[in-house]
Amino acid sequence: MNLNDLSPSGCLTTADSLRCDATLPDNPACTLNVHFGMLLGVDELRTEQGFHIGRSRRHQRLLHGLGVVAGYPLTFDDETFDLRVGPGFAVDALGRDLALDVGQCVNLVQWWLKYQNDEAFDDLASLEYATIDLDVRVCYSTCLSSPVPAIAEPCAGNASDIAYSRVCETVTLLLRRNVPPPEAPAPAPAPAPADPNVDPSPETPPVVPPLNEAAKNHAALALLLSQIDTAAPDPIDTADLCLPLGTLRGVHLKKDADGWTATLGSIDLNTRPLLLSTGALQQLLLPLLAQAPLSGDTTKLKRVGRTGKAGT
């Protein structure tokens, strides 16, 4: 269920996917061993591309993670029934950039009329009076551009052909129905057997001395650092690499004598993963580090210069 095809004209009605089937090489393990007189072909150039692209993606995936870095606001217009996705930048599970430079929009009524017969809505009692939740997702995509004359492949029948000389990274925006999994009933806890040797009267809780602000910050920082997982990353599930941007709660679609209308209960941004930039992390952690109490002998402070040697 495509939301748009990233046309720079804003709201759109049709999608053009004829050129969006390109792939970029991703191989951070090997690069070219260039030598004098070496014959360079398509495979060699793609190997050089894949080395740098793969290293960049691996760096982002393992060092930074995935999530929305900046932007991607979601807004809904009650009068025109348009859902708008603003410009933004994110990183997916493979470390690929998800950059949207121009805001996009989709009319929820038109979207519903196009996709209401999909099997995802087969359980609805009525298609003319429905209330559903929708996930807004952003997916990595590529598009070919800049066509130029090219030599045709062997046995093509023509002496020349047209090929695209550029591969452009872009994104595709999707709307998918959000159906929460059924919750399994929690088993009833078994009553604890009574111990005749235990006094049933409640005990007085121990008195904990209050912490000052520096100690609180130190404890918060220690807890934060203890939760960092440095284990080997889990295998990446490539079945769905699209990144959630938010969930539209209570999308109500109704057909009456005046036509179709769409209303929205709320926009839930808690379903989107966040990826904090280095600047944001510094703003969060530096105040804690500045107020945390120092431990050990602080009478002598050592300074490490450019040579790597420590001095007083």
Side-chain angles (χ1 to χ4, degrees):
M1 291 179 276
N2 287 335
L3 189 152
N4 62 44
D5 67 353
L6 301 178
S7 169
S9 59
C11 295
L12 51 101
T13 57
T14 60
D16 179 13
S17 60
L18 297 179
R19 297 182 288 108
C20 296
D21 56 355
T23 57
L24 287 173
D26 185 341
N27 182 18
C30 298
T31 187
L32 287 183
N33 180 27
V34 182
H35 56 83
F36 181 78
M38 181 177 182
L39 181 63
L40 299 179
V42 174
D43 184 65
E44 284 72 25
L45 296 178
R46 288 183 62 84
T47 297
E48 184 70 6
Q49 273 187 319
F51 179 72
H52 296 288
I53 293 174
R55 286 173 64 88
S56 175
R57 291 176 177 177
R58 183 175 61 183
H59 171 91
Q60 292 198 138
R61 179 176 69 251
L62 297 180
L63 186 62
H64 301 295
L66 62 87
V68 176
V69 180
Y72 279 120
L74 303 179
T75 57
F76 179 71
D77 192 323
D78 295 328
E79 297 182 357
T80 62
F81 316 131
D82 285 339
L83 170 69
R84 297 185 178 274
V85 181
F89 178 79
V91 178
D92 71 1
L94 293 181
R96 300 176 299 188
D97 292 347
L98 303 175
L100 179 63
D101 297 327
V102 180
Q104 303 298 311
C105 69
V106 64
N107 186 279
L108 288 187
V109 169
Q110 296 179 6
W111 177 88
W112 173 246
L113 294 177
K114 183 176 181 180
Y115 295 107
Q116 61 180 339
N117 294 319
D118 284 8
E119 60 179 85
F121 308 111
D122 288 345
D123 63 311
L124 297 180
S126 173
L127 296 179
E128 297 185 355
Y129 190 89
T131 301
I132 56 178
D133 292 346
L134 295 174
D135 287 333
V136 184
R137 293 173 171 263
V138 57
C139 311
Y140 175 85
S141 181
T142 57
C143 277
L144 297 169
S145 67
S146 302
V148 295
I151 299 176
E153 295 184 3
C155 303
N158 297 322
S160 63
D161 199 358
I162 297 297
Y164 294 97
S165 62
R166 302 290 187 274
V167 179
C168 301
E169 290 186 309
T170 181
V171 296
T172 301
L173 297 171
L174 302 178
L175 277 179
R176 292 183 180 177
R177 186 183 179 189
N178 179 288
V179 181
E183 296 183 0
D195 189 349
N197 298 322
V198 176
D199 186 3
S201 59
E203 297 181 357
T204 304
V207 178
V208 179
L211 300 177
N212 57 31
E213 194 65 26
K216 291 180 181 179
N217 291 337
H218 186 273
L221 181 59
L223 177 62
L224 178 63
L225 295 177
S226 67
Q227 294 175 347
I228 297 178
D229 185 7
T230 58
D234 296 330
I236 299 174
D237 183 8
T238 58
D240 185 7
L241 294 173
C242 297
L243 196 71
L245 295 179
T247 301
L248 310 181
R249 305 289 186 186
V251 179
H252 186 63
L253 300 146
K254 179 182 178 181
K255 183 180 180 181
D256 53 24
D258 297 329
W260 283 90
T261 59
T263 58
L264 177 61
S266 62
I267 298 178
D268 184 6
L269 297 182
N270 292 322
T271 57
R272 69 164 59 179
L274 297 178
L275 183 58
L276 297 180
S277 65
T278 304
L281 290 174
Q282 289 177 343
Q283 293 178 4
L284 291 174
L285 295 179
L286 285 181
L288 298 179
L289 293 173
Q291 298 182 23
L294 298 176
S295 60
D297 185 7
T298 59
T299 58
K300 294 183 179 181
L301 299 178
K302 294 185 177 181
R303 180 180 58 190
V304 178
R306 293 185 178 180
T307 60
K309 298 180 180 180
T312 57

